[in-house]
Amino acid sequence: MKNAPRERASTKKNGGSRERILNEALREFAEKGFSGARVDRIANKAGTSKHMLYYHFRSKTGLYETVLEGAYGGIRFAESNIDVDHMNSVDALRSIVRQSFDYHCDHEMFVRLVMNENIHHANHIDEHQAEGNRAIIDILADILQRGSMEGSFRSGIDPKHLHLTISALGFHFVSNRYSFAKIFEMDLESPRARQERRELVVETVLSWVAAH
């Protein structure tokens, strides 16, 4: 019994260390890529040791895969929290598109991480991670089916292509906003610019799926 407080404190400390490592690792991998990231730099910025990092994640690859899984899990969690079952198909799809766009804008490190993972041909995405990301396809398939039955959406739309379109429009706005802003002298940083672009993306998607 006398050792219990010390054990709880140790567990809390280790848990906090793990979260700090993950936060710093996300930034390091997003900015440097898997090859350029350094474990000692992550541990130093997290205020811990390489020994503790390896204790939690075993290897640099293990740490990277955990970061990647958490990053994808974040957007999937946000999507799953939208109560699409109690919306009509148009409102449901509109909510999904807005959520996706906002998530990309609010999580620039996620965008950079995905860009770097694609450089490596998605070598670190295993079947478990892939399966976790497929839930959004089922959600979109259900929305499209309901929309077709309601007469709001045309039939025959592939939910995977719909998801690719939604993701691309949000992803590109974040990944290319600095170059677009400089080359074309566009304001892409202000809240107003973001809101205007988000609604344009929503209307683009809804126009594409609309029944004619």
Side-chain angles (χ1 to χ4, degrees), residues 155-191:
S155 60
I157 299 172
D158 187 333
K160 292 181 182 178
H161 279 290
L162 176 57
H163 175 57
L164 180 60
T165 301
I166 294 170
S167 297
L169 291 171
F171 193 97
H172 186 275
F173 180 74
V174 178
S175 65
N176 289 50
R177 61 184 171 189
Y178 299 113
S179 58
F180 259 67
K182 188 169 186 178
I183 294 171
F184 301 109
E185 299 180 343
M186 297 174 66
D187 171 20
L188 300 178
E189 293 289 335
S190 69

Side-chain angles (χ1 to χ4, degrees), residues 7-85:
E7 290 174 1
R8 285 195 295 270
S10 176
T11 300
K12 183 177 181 181
K13 181 179 179 181
N14 287 341
S17 174
R18 188 178 191 277
E19 291 306 310
R20 290 196 304 273
I21 292 170
L22 285 173
N23 289 336
E24 292 301 333
L26 171 60
R27 184 174 299 277
E28 178 77 5
F29 286 125
E31 293 180 349
K32 312 293 184 183
F34 177 77
S35 301
R38 295 292 177 264
V39 169
D40 53 353
R41 190 159 51 215
I42 294 170
N44 182 59
K45 290 184 177 180
T48 188
S49 63
K50 289 174 66 175
H51 172 77
M52 184 59 69
L53 186 150
Y54 288 127
Y55 168 79
H56 286 301
F57 305 101
R58 297 189 178 182
S59 65
K60 177 182 178 181
T61 298
L63 173 59
Y64 178 76
E65 290 176 350
T66 302
V67 168
L68 193 63
E69 183 174 7
Y72 273 112
I75 191 168
R76 300 289 87 92
F77 179 76
E79 291 163 344
S80 68
N81 275 341
I82 302 174
D83 190 14
V84 295
D85 292 337

Side-chain angles (χ1 to χ4, degrees), residues 6 34 51 104 152 197:
R6 180 178 296 178
F34 177 77
H51 172 77
H104 284 90
S152 301
R197 182 63 185 176

